[in-house]
């Protein structure tokens, strides 16, 4: 397409140049004329335009774009930083929770162990106390029994002595003495059984 | 899209209706020799050449009846004596359109920049046209020019290539406007822009390479023995120099020829109406319209290509390490 249009253009311009020569009444401007004024004005106009665009328009647009890009980049960086921070905090918290859970487990286990120990201790102590009480009761019973036996014995002796003294006091006849002692002895078993 | 079948049908109907009529018209014209003379007076070359070449006459829209819709203003002549040669430094048609294009570029980009700054300050982002222009500028800067210019100071040339792009774009587009003219269809304008680019490229080379800049002119390979280096330098230095000057030449001719070609085709197609009578006008206008739409694309492409090549040349010379 381009080649076609170019060749057509060249053809037409050549033809028109020929036609222009034919009718060369006024000085016609050709396609390839070098004109200093046009170059001069192109330079001036493009120079001024370039200066204007470069000093104001493009810096304005590109500056705003850069500013916006920087703001976006900052926002992205800040978001990334915040996310890292949040991640770090989350990990921290998780670790803390783990630690707390371990602690709690340990506490519970400790408590359980302590309770168990306390229970066994208490049981043992109770058992011990019970034993002690039993022992004491038994000892007391024993002591009481001993005392009762001793007392009984003393009573018996006293009785014997009283009986004997009665015998000696009365000392009238053997029959009477005998009667007395027998009477006493007859009354004795009942005391002995009751003392036991 | 919905109207395409409809418009196609209308176009076909007009073309079919015109076919038998054109025969009658030719017959009718043959009887009137004066008519042919009148058509001859408005030959295509006489219409095309004044439209695409520079002149001291500026066309302005005005109403002089149904026959003529334009009037001409003769621009002032400012003769300056340059060493015995008198040169007219007064404005010409293309100077006026250059000025209009520059003012429009400045206004459009300037107002967009102002709006951009205001709305960036107000809501943190541009809106409307400024946002669109920002998109264009950012695309050109980030995707096109910066990769070509290269880093480490390449961004200093961004305003230059962007200015080139917008200025050439407006110059190109003004040629497609009625009564308008394309300054970039004038070889003097494109040559000046190419020379400016050339100077910028060379200055960029000097700034980037320092003393190494001389190596972009004189070929002097450091990693070769002297007996190879000398003949190579003798042979390749002219090539290097030639390469330096081909670049602006290529820029000059590319833009100029592309702009001229499109306008010549459009004018030639419209000229068909004057050659063969008004009955061919639907076809001629349809084809001219097609080329016109193509030309809008070409206007953008050529502005883009010129500025891209300027950026590429600057990038090349900045990266030149022999």
């Amino acid at each position: 397409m381009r080649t076609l249009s170019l060749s057509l253009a060249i053809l037409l311009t050549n033809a028109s140049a020929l036609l222009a020569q034919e009718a060369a009444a006024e000085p016609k401007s050709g396609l390839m004329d070098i004109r200093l004024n046009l170059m001069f004005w192109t330079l001036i106009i493009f120079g001024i335009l370039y200066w204007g665009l470069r000093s104001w328009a493009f810096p304005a647009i590109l500056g705003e774009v850069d500013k916006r890009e920087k703001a976006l980049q900052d926002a992205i960086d800040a978001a990334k930083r915040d996310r890292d921070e949040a991640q770090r905090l989350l990990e921290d918290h998780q670790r803390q929770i783990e630690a707390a859970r371990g602690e709690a487990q340990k506490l519970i286990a400790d408590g359980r162990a302590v309770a168990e120990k306390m229970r066994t201790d208490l049981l043992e102590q109770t058992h011990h106390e019970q034993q002690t009480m039993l022992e004491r009761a038994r000892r007391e019973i024993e002591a009481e029994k001993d005392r009762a036996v001793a007392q009984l014995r003393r009573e018996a002796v006293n009785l014997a002595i009283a009986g004997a003294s009665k015998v000696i006091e009365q000392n009238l006849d053997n029959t009477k003495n005998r009667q007395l002692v027998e009477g006493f002895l007859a009354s004795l078993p009942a005391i002995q059984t009751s003392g036991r | 899209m919905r109207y395409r079948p409809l418009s196609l049908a209308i176009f076909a109907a007009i073309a079919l209706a015109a076919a038998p009529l054109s025969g009658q018209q030719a017959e009718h014209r043959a009887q009137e020799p004066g008519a042919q003379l009148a058509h001859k007076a408005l030959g295509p070359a006489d219409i095309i050449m004044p439209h695409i070449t520079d002149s001291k006459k500026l066309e302005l829209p005005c109403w002089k009846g149904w026959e003529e819709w334009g009037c001409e203003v003769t621009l002032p002549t400012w003769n300056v004596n340059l060493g015995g040669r008198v040169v007219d430094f007064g404005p010409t048609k293309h100077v006026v359109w250059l000025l209009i294009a520059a003012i429009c570029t400045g206004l459009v980009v300037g107002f967009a920049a102002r709006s951009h700054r205001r709305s960036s300050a107000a809501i943190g982002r541009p809106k409307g046209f400024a946002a669109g222009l920002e998109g264009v500028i950012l695309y050109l800067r980030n995707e096109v020019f910066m990769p070509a210019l290269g880093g480490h100071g390449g961004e200093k040339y961004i305003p230059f290539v962007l200015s080139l792009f917008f200025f050439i774009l407006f110059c190109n587009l003004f040629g497609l406007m009625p009564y308008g003219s394309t300054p970039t269809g004038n070889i003097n304008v494109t040559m000046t822009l190419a020379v400016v680019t050339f100077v910028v490229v060379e200055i960029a080379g000097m700034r980037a390479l320092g003393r190494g800049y001389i190596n972009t002119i004189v070929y002097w390979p450091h990693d070769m023995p002297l007996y190879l280096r000398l003949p190579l330098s003798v042979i390749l230095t002219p090539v290097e120099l030639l390469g330096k000057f081909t670049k602006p030449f290529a820029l000059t001719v590319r833009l100029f020829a592309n702009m001229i070609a499109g306008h010549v085709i459009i004018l030639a197609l419209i000229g068909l109406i004057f050659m063969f009578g008004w009955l061919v006008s639907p076809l001629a206008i349809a084809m001219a319209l097609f080329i016109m739409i193509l030309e809008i694309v070409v206007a953008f492409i050529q502005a883009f290509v010129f500025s891209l090549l300027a950026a590429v040349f600057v990038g090349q010379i900045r990266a030149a390490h022999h």
Side-chain angles (χ1 to χ4, degrees):
Chain A
M1 190 63 214
R2 180 64 35 80
T3 327
L4 189 74
S5 54
L6 209 63
S7 51
L8 196 62
I10 290 165
L11 211 70
L12 277 167
T13 49
N14 284 345
S16 60
L18 283 174
L19 282 169
Q21 272 177 10
E22 208 175 316
E26 55 178 297
K28 290 240 174 187
S29 45
L31 273 179
M32 306 299 262
D33 286 356
I34 299 299
R35 284 167 175 259
L36 278 179
N37 63 331
L38 205 49
M39 291 186 178
F40 170 76
W41 284 115
T42 308
L43 201 62
I44 297 290
I45 289 168
F46 180 70
I48 291 169
L49 177 70
Y50 170 60
W51 177 79
L53 291 180
R54 182 207 154 99
S55 54
W56 192 74
F58 290 143
I61 293 175
L62 293 176
E64 290 296 332
V65 168
D66 287 345
K67 216 188 284 175
R68 200 177 62 211
E69 272 175 5
K70 198 181 161 299
L72 282 177
Q73 193 58 48
D74 284 356
I76 289 168
D77 287 350
K80 201 175 279 174
R81 215 162 41 234
D82 287 355
R83 207 182 52 199
D84 289 352
E85 180 73 22
Q87 184 69 29
R88 207 179 55 72
L89 278 176
L90 186 68
E91 276 170 13
D92 220 31
H93 283 164
Q94 255 162 4
R95 211 163 36 239
Q96 277 179 10
I97 286 167
E98 279 305 314
R101 190 172 289 154
E103 190 85 4
Q105 290 288 349
K106 195 168 145 317
L107 278 177
I108 288 167
D110 279 3
R112 199 169 282 157
V114 165
E116 190 67 25
K117 188 167 174 298
M118 206 176 266
R119 196 170 71 93
T120 45
D121 277 4
L122 272 174
L123 265 175
E124 201 167 323
Q125 196 179 347
T126 314
H127 192 67
H128 184 73
E129 261 172 29
Q130 193 186 5
Q131 287 296 328
T132 319
M133 273 167 78
L134 263 172
E135 198 66 31
R136 200 171 57 206
R138 201 169 284 151
R139 224 167 31 237
E140 267 174 21
I141 287 164
E142 200 68 30
E144 205 67 30
K145 196 181 83 186
D146 286 352
R147 206 170 56 219
V149 168
Q151 197 175 356
L152 186 66
R153 197 161 283 160
R154 207 160 46 234
E155 201 74 21
V157 168
N158 280 349
L159 282 174
I161 289 168
S165 60
K166 278 253 170 88
V167 168
I168 294 162
E169 242 179 57
Q170 294 270 327
N171 218 1
L172 295 169
D173 59 347
N174 229 353
T175 343
K176 198 134 182 181
N177 279 353
R178 190 149 198 103
Q179 220 177 342
L180 203 67
V181 170
E182 272 177 2
F184 169 67
L185 286 177
S187 69
L188 204 64
I191 296 165
Q192 253 178 344
T193 47
S194 71
R196 244 194 204 162
Chain B
M1 281 304 273
R2 265 191 307 160
Y3 298 105
R4 197 160 47 166
L6 186 70
S7 55
L8 269 176
I10 290 172
F11 178 73
I14 290 171
L16 282 172
L21 277 174
S22 67
Q24 287 173 13
Q25 180 75 8
E27 209 175 309
H28 181 67
R29 255 196 311 187
Q31 290 167 356
E32 283 181 86
Q36 269 194 333
L37 264 177
H39 283 290
K40 173 106 177 142
L42 279 171
D46 298 331
I47 292 171
I48 293 170
M49 282 307 284
H51 267 92
I52 58 177
T53 54
D54 201 6
S55 72
K56 294 297 285 185
K57 287 182 177 129
L58 188 68
E59 284 188 338
L60 290 173
C62 64
W63 178 257
K64 284 188 189 170
W66 286 104
E67 297 296 319
E68 221 175 331
W69 292 5
C71 45
E72 286 180 340
V73 175
T74 308
L75 295 161
T77 304
W78 301 336
N79 280 327
V80 176
N81 200 333
L82 285 180
R85 201 177 147 207
V86 177
V87 180
D88 173 19
F89 272 93
T92 60
K93 185 173 74 177
H94 282 165
V95 172
V96 170
W97 283 106
L98 268 178
L99 197 63
I100 291 171
I103 288 169
C104 283
T105 313
L107 286 181
V108 166
V109 179
F111 274 115
R114 201 177 66 162
S115 146
H116 193 293
R117 177 166 278 179
R118 273 186 189 164
S119 89
S120 287
I123 54 171
R125 63 180 169 79
K127 55 182 184 184
F129 181 74
L133 194 77
E134 185 209 278
V136 172
I137 289 177
L138 281 189
Y139 167 72
L140 288 176
R141 184 185 71 162
N142 298 342
E143 311 290 327
V144 181
F145 293 149
M146 276 318 286
L149 286 166
H152 304 294
E155 65 280 349
K156 272 187 298 193
Y157 301 96
I158 289 290
F160 174 68
V161 282
L162 279 177
S163 303
L164 265 183
F165 174 77
F166 285 110
F167 182 52
I168 294 173
L169 177 65
F170 274 87
C171 286
N172 292 352
L173 289 176
F174 272 119
L176 301 174
M177 227 175 65
Y179 301 100
S181 176
T182 315
T184 42
N186 189 312
I187 198 158
N188 296 289
V189 174
T190 59
M191 196 196 294
T192 312
L193 291 176
V195 167
V196 169
T197 308
F198 173 76
V199 171
V200 167
V201 167
E202 298 312 306
I203 289 173
M206 287 174 204
R207 281 168 74 173
L209 302 174
R211 236 176 6 177
Y213 170 73
I214 206 85
N215 279 339
T216 67
I217 300 169
V218 182
Y219 187 75
W220 194 252
H222 291 288
D223 49 352
M224 282 185 186
L226 195 65
Y227 64 89
L228 270 176
R229 229 188 277 181
L230 268 175
L232 263 179
S233 178
V234 168
I235 296 164
L236 285 175
T237 300
V239 176
E240 292 258 336
L241 262 178
L242 202 63
K244 252 191 202 318
F245 291 106
T246 343
K247 287 168 187 169
F249 181 73
L251 283 180
T252 304
V253 174
R254 183 182 298 110
L255 182 56
F256 158 71
N258 272 292
M259 285 302 111
I260 280 290
H263 287 80
V264 166
I265 292 178
I266 290 169
L267 291 169
L269 287 172
I270 293 170
L272 289 177
I273 302 170
F274 296 96
M275 285 180 82
F276 301 112
W278 62 273
L279 286 170
V280 295
S281 53
L283 194 67
I285 287 170
M287 274 163 33
L289 192 65
F290 170 70
I291 300 292
M292 200 76 152
I293 291 163
L294 198 70
E295 274 304 292
I296 294 173
V297 181
V298 169
F300 278 88
I301 289 174
Q302 287 308 316
F304 175 73
V305 165
F306 195 106
S307 49
L308 169 66
L309 284 178
V312 166
F313 294 154
V314 171
Q316 262 179 359
I317 199 156
R318 291 179 73 247
H321 292 300
H322 281 285

